[in-house]
Amino acid sequence: MRGGSVAVVGGSVAGCAFARAAARGGAERVTVLERSPGHLEDRGVGLCVVLDRYDELVRAGHLDDGIRHHPVTARHWVARGEDGDPRGRVLWVQPMAMHSYHWGVLWQGLRERIPDGVEFRPGTAVTAVGGGGAVAGGGAGGGSGSGSGDVGAGPAWVETASGGREEYDLVVGADGHRSVVRAAVCPEARSEYAGYVAWRGSFDARLLDTLPGGAARWPEEEVITVCYPGGQVVLYRIPGLTPGSTLVNWVFYAPAPAWLRRADEDSDPLGFPVGALDTARHGELAELAERVLPPYWAGVVALTPVERILLQPIHDLATPRRTAGRLLLAGDAATLVRPHTTSGAAKALQDACAFEDAWRASDDWAGLLPGYDLERGEAGRALVDLSRRLGRAQVTGAPDWSAIDGPGMAAWWRGQLGTSGGFGGLALDRKPNPPSADGN
Ligand SMILES: Cc1cc2nc3c(=O)[nH]c(=O)nc-3n(C[C@H](O)[C@H](O)[C@H](O)COP(=O)(O)OP(=O)(O)OC[C@H]3O[C@@H](n4cnc5c(N)ncnc54)[C@H](O)[C@@H]3O)c2cc1C
């Protein structure tokens, strides 16, 4: 298919990748509408892409070696030991080939790879969308979403906070967890709070030398998972924003603190972005780290300046459909997985690959939208299921770490994955299972 106009709501990982995919597919006009007024790069921390998914994404032209990353070769699972070893007792050394990224470096790389003809409009919040019968938001055409619609009944439209209304042939919702586009495509979909939080932090890796044993106690290519009753901490290095610099990045899964805020009784708890934590709340984290982690890893967490720590309640969400009328969902707007699968960024980029393939294979919108939905819908739901299993096995229903050894850990891990094969995201060429005779 050639021509047509596409609005992409959200200019983060999924938004940049979809803008590029639409332009490469042959769209005549592509516009990215991003709520944030400035560069997003300072707000992120670390994320990983497993090597198999990375290689697929490179072959598909959605990632390349020019975006700085750090190699990871093994995952060491440790727990506090009786013998007082500062690094803890090693439960299992798991081979694991991944690239770790600074979120901002990845975003900047994807942003730079959007072709010149695409308009990227920062500081533009979309307040309402509709198209083909599906409507959501607070604008003139807004109200509650219908979540249905005829693909042929375009065009789609967006309304922005400035009051303007614009029409497009297709609106892509790459607007993340609290997506306004999703409210039009499937208003019944609700994100679920997992019942625990992730504290996250990062700091200049040179500070490790101030710890007893220094940086040498932690080889650069190891990702460490420290297990404790009620949670775990995952630590790894990532490239810094400045070329040549390295950061330590950690994610500390823990029970929700009593003061976690909810906007109202029924809503999911809200997080604290970087810079919003006060010292009393930070003190709770420091006390927990001191109490449950081996001394070296408690020391690593303690090196993090309070203004570099954020708190994120863990949610997940599976949508029953990704398209309605001329609206389409991408990335976290389409499926939100718990971070244990290490797949958020890879999943968003895979969505863009599938969209580009569907675009090239279709003669019209009626072919493109269902093709994309079929290709990515089941994969997304399978990944959400896997992320729930991993979260239960590793956090809320974790085993007694003092009684487990290497072979026990390997069997425990295999039990979580089952036949899904999805750690790091499902393979791009995995075909969706056709519906069975009873529709399941
Ligand atoms: C600032 C930031 C930092 C992040 N840091 C990390 C990290 O450190 N590690 C990690 O694993 N994941 C991080 N993520 C999430 C990770 O990027 C995603 O899981 C994955 O990459 C897919 O993201 P996405 O593009 O689908 O959604 P998101 O990254 O959530 O992006 C959604 C975008 O849509 C914009 N938006 C939302 N609503 C509207 C609206 N109504 N109108 C216009 N624009 C709108 C938002 O401003 C945002 O830029 C971060 C996301 C953001 C936005």
Side-chain angles (χ1 to χ4, degrees), residues 184-223:
V185 173
C186 42
E188 71 276 32
R190 292 275 177 280
S191 76
E192 287 182 30
Y193 171 49
Y196 54 94
V197 302
W199 300 80
R200 310 175 63 158
S202 64
F203 62 87
D204 188 330
R206 287 174 299 187
L207 286 175
L208 289 173
D209 278 325
T210 63
L211 291 175
R217 199 159 248 170
W218 178 16
E220 293 202 355
E221 299 187 358
E222 282 178 10
V223 57

Side-chain angles (χ1 to χ4, degrees), residues 150-166:
D150 169 7
V151 172
W157 51 266
V158 299
E159 283 179 9
T160 60
S162 60
R165 183 172 171 135
E166 302 169 21

Side-chain angles (χ1 to χ4, degrees), residues 55-352:
D55 289 340
E56 286 171 359
L57 289 164
V58 169
R59 283 196 295 277
H62 280 273
L63 267 186
D64 62 73
D65 231 19
I67 303 181
R68 284 183 297 119
H69 50 263
H70 183 91
V72 171
T73 55
R75 183 174 188 177
H76 288 228
W77 297 75
V78 303
R80 199 167 166 131
E82 294 299 312
D83 59 2
D85 183 327
R87 264 186 55 123
R89 182 172 75 91
V90 178
L91 304 175
W92 184 32
V93 178
Q94 179 184 23
M96 186 163 284
M98 302 194 289
H99 288 163
S100 70
Y101 288 88
H102 188 298
W103 186 90
V105 174
L106 176 64
W107 175 78
Q108 186 66 46
L110 297 172
R111 171 78 184 83
E112 285 166 5
R113 283 157 179 74
I114 296 179
D116 283 346
V118 172
E119 183 192 1
F120 193 101
R121 228 187 281 164
T124 309
V126 170
T127 51
V129 298
V135 176
S144 62
S146 69
S148 60
D150 169 7
V151 172
W157 51 266
V158 299
E159 283 179 9
T160 60
S162 60
R165 183 172 171 135
E166 302 169 21
E167 291 193 346
Y168 296 89
D169 291 308
L170 177 72
V171 171
V172 174
D175 49 345
H177 176 181
R178 298 181 194 280
S179 165
V180 67
V181 183
R182 185 173 63 230
V185 173
C186 42
E188 71 276 32
R190 292 275 177 280
S191 76
E192 287 182 30
Y193 171 49
Y196 54 94
V197 302
W199 300 80
R200 310 175 63 158
S202 64
F203 62 87
D204 188 330
R206 287 174 299 187
L207 286 175
L208 289 173
D209 278 325
T210 63
L211 291 175
R217 199 159 248 170
W218 178 16
E220 293 202 355
E221 299 187 358
E222 282 178 10
V223 57
I224 305 292
T225 302
V226 190
C227 304
Y228 71 92
Q232 62 173 211
V233 190
V234 183
L235 308 99
Y236 51 92
R237 291 178 177 82
I238 59 174
L241 281 176
T242 314
S245 64
T246 305
L247 301 181
V248 168
N249 174 79
W250 52 261
V251 186
F252 197 140
Y253 298 100
W259 39 261
L260 198 66
R261 300 171 305 157
R262 285 172 186 267
D264 59 59
E265 269 301 290
D266 298 326
S267 68
D268 294 336
L270 303 170
F272 285 75
V274 166
L277 276 173
D278 54 49
T279 42
R281 288 180 169 124
H282 174 234
E284 243 178 79
L285 171 70
E287 188 278 323
L288 178 66
E290 193 64 35
R291 187 159 42 85
V292 300
L293 305 185
Y296 185 79
W297 305 115
V300 171
V301 172
L303 285 175
T304 319
V306 61
E307 66 277 8
R308 295 291 311 158
I309 297 178
L310 61 100
L311 185 143
Q312 209 174 28
I314 301 298
H315 299 99
D316 54 54
L317 175 139
T319 46
R321 74 190 80 80
R322 292 181 163 232
T323 61
R326 294 286 187 88
L327 307 178
L328 175 153
L329 298 177
D332 283 6
T335 32
L336 190 62
V337 296
R338 302 190 197 179
H340 314 288
T341 52
T342 310
S343 64
K347 168 173 74 63
L349 296 172
Q350 289 182 326
D351 285 352

